[in-house]
Amino acid sequence: MKRKLKNLLYVAAVLLMSVSCKKEDRTTVVFGTVKDDLGKPIAGLEVELWGVKSSFAGKFTFLKTSKTDMKGEYSITTEIPKDYNFGNLKFSPDEKILDKYNTSVSTLYFNGNETRDCCSVSVGQKSQYDLVLFRK
């Protein structure tokens, strides 16, 4: 009887340790589309994901990049390092896009809702940022 109790306590301790040591899933996905004000997709726009260590005087570290395809779609999937609090998305237009579009005037959507807050990404979550650029 003592042996069974001892074995049961041992199994319970191992289970508790495995639950408390569970690794946090920090896989983060950011996706969306970039179109112009007529609804036409914009291909070739670079989208960067940066890790941020703190919201105050934050330290930013480049994590991963993607470019919009012919449909204006992009997707970034990456593991954000443990010591980073969140991610930040940055749209980086090249000269060709800057010549054609007024990048200071745009409409941004976060998970389907228009927003003015660009572009915080929660660790371990899926976030959708869609961007509409206006032609010059």
Side-chain angles (χ1 to χ4, degrees), residues 2-133:
K2 271 188 170 183
R3 185 175 176 99
K4 281 185 180 181
L5 183 59
K6 191 175 183 180
N7 286 341
L8 184 60
L9 287 174
Y10 176 74
V11 170
V14 169
L15 286 174
L16 283 174
M17 286 185 347
S18 67
V19 169
S20 66
C21 294
K22 182 181 176 189
K23 182 180 176 187
E24 177 187 11
D25 184 9
R26 299 184 62 84
T27 303
T28 304
V29 178
V30 185
F31 65 98
T33 59
V34 180
K35 296 182 179 182
D36 69 13
D37 52 329
L38 297 177
K40 293 172 65 175
I42 299 175
L45 181 82
E46 188 169 20
V47 184
E48 300 172 349
L49 181 60
W50 292 73
V52 185
K53 283 197 175 185
S54 168
S55 56
F56 305 107
K59 179 181 178 192
F60 292 78
T61 301
F62 173 78
L63 298 176
K64 200 166 184 182
T65 189
S66 177
K67 281 197 175 194
T68 55
D69 62 16
M70 296 306 287
K71 296 178 185 175
E73 297 174 348
Y74 70 91
S75 180
I76 298 173
T77 301
T78 193
E79 181 98 4
I80 294 185
K82 187 177 179 180
D83 53 338
Y84 289 84
N85 300 337
F86 58 96
N88 195 56
L89 197 64
K90 179 182 173 191
F91 295 95
S92 299
D94 61 17
E95 291 298 320
K96 181 180 168 186
I97 291 172
L98 289 172
D99 288 343
K100 194 172 182 180
Y101 299 98
N102 183 354
T103 57
S104 63
V105 179
S106 61
T107 305
L108 183 67
Y109 297 89
F110 174 66
N111 292 336
N113 298 309
E114 189 172 341
T115 185
R116 292 180 188 256
D117 298 325
C118 187
C119 294
S120 183
V121 176
S122 296
V123 174
Q125 302 292 315
K126 285 186 178 181
S127 300
Q128 179 178 357
Y129 277 103
D130 298 312
L131 180 65
V132 176
L133 294 177

